[in-house]
Amino acid sequence: MDTQVVSLDPAAKTMEVRSQAGGDGETLAYDYLVLAPGAVTQPERIPGLADFGLDISSRDDALLLKSRLGAITEGSVVVAVASVPYKCPPAPFEYACLTDHILRQRGVRDAISVTVVCNVKFPMGSPVVESALLGVLAERGVKYIPFFEIDSVAADEHGRPVVQGHTPEEASKPLPADLLLFTGLQRAPQFIFDAGLTNPKGFVPVDLLTNRCVKAE
Ligand SMILES: Cc1cc2nc3c(=O)[nH]c(=O)nc-3n(C[C@H](O)[C@H](O)[C@H](O)COP(=O)(O)OP(=O)(O)OC[C@H]3O[C@@H](n4cnc5c(N)ncnc54)[C@H](O)[C@@H]3O)c2cc1C
């Protein structure tokens, strides 16, 4: 259970594993390999994001978010889809609605804006789903900004975090974000990348009928 795959050689059909407790590694040979290591998030791809943002796919950050949402009394909450594809397309909208709900319960919603930004027009589903979800956000007073690319995140002169971004219409669009949640910037883990199994987006291309990794054939 505590064993990590540290490298993979698809041509030789071997993998090196090592106990997280330390000690020597071991080479395992395989005839068939089922790979399911999930995706890793790389916030460092946007300057400042790791310093100011909370990753909604991270358990540790979810716990931090709980305490930050319980403490914020004014300002702005931004939920950002930094890139697509990402784990769980509805999650940013769920987080925005939960944020709205918690802030209303605490009686501070009027003093805090909630905004969802996304680097594409809409990250999931059909136009019907898009229209329904945008309606849900509008009902709750949550603003949605499509085609918002995040360039960096930094503190202003008062120490307030500001997301610096741009849209097709505005070359510079700063968004204050007293609380910044984000998703996206994900790709396959390093050992998959090192094994040469990824496409330019950092994911593993598969045959959609069999789920076989086409780069390992
Ligand atoms: C906030 C959020 C909400 C979601 N809600 C839903 C939902 O409601 N419904 C739904 O269907 N899906 C939901 N998802 C998506 C769902 O969680 C993922 O699709 C699913 O967890 C992917 O499973 P997986 O096994 O491929 O990867 P993971 O669950 O990420 O598991 C990968 C495992 O591989 C291990 N691993 C990685 N690298 C190595 C290595 N080198 N050596 C050994 N082990 C390694 C990891 O430690 C991890 O245990 C949600 C995701 C998020 C982030």
Side-chain angles (χ1 to χ4, degrees), residues 3-5 36-39 56-57 87-88 91 95 189 191:
T3 301
Q4 286 284 116
V5 180
I56 65 173
S57 61
K87 299 181 197 186
C88 197
Y95 272 73
F191 78 93

Side-chain angles (χ1 to χ4, degrees), residues 1 3-7 20 35-40 55-58 87-91 94-95 183 186 189 191:
M1 288 292 283
T3 301
Q4 286 284 116
V5 180
V6 289
S7 67
Q20 291 188 63
L35 270 176
V40 293
D55 174 2
I56 65 173
S57 61
S58 147
K87 299 181 197 186
C88 197
E94 293 166 355
Y95 272 73
T183 188
Q186 289 153 5
F191 78 93

Side-chain angles (χ1 to χ4, degrees), residues 1 18 42 52-53 60 69 81 96 107 122-123 125 131 175 177 188 198 201-202 207 214:
M1 288 292 283
R18 189 168 297 149
Q42 298 183 305
F52 295 101
D60 289 347
L69 270 180
V81 176
F122 198 75
S131 150
L175 271 187
T198 51
K201 283 196 158 187
D207 179 325
V214 294

Side-chain angles (χ1 to χ4, degrees), residues 83-150:
S83 70
V84 293
Y86 59 89
K87 299 181 197 186
C88 197
F93 304 102
E94 293 166 355
Y95 272 73
C97 290
L98 284 168
T99 296
D100 169 74
H101 177 72
I102 291 166
L103 298 180
R104 281 182 201 281
Q105 271 193 330
R106 290 187 50 232
V108 293
R109 179 66 172 93
D110 288 347
I112 302 171
S113 66
V114 182
T115 305
V116 177
V117 302
C118 181
N119 74 318
V120 295
K121 180 170 178 280
F122 198 75
M124 63 176 286
S126 65
V128 176
V129 172
E130 175 179 343
S131 150
L133 269 178
L134 290 180
V136 167
L137 295 186
E139 271 169 25
R140 287 160 177 75
V142 175
K143 190 175 176 192
Y144 180 74
I145 306 178
F147 298 118
F148 184 96
E149 292 276 356
I150 305 175

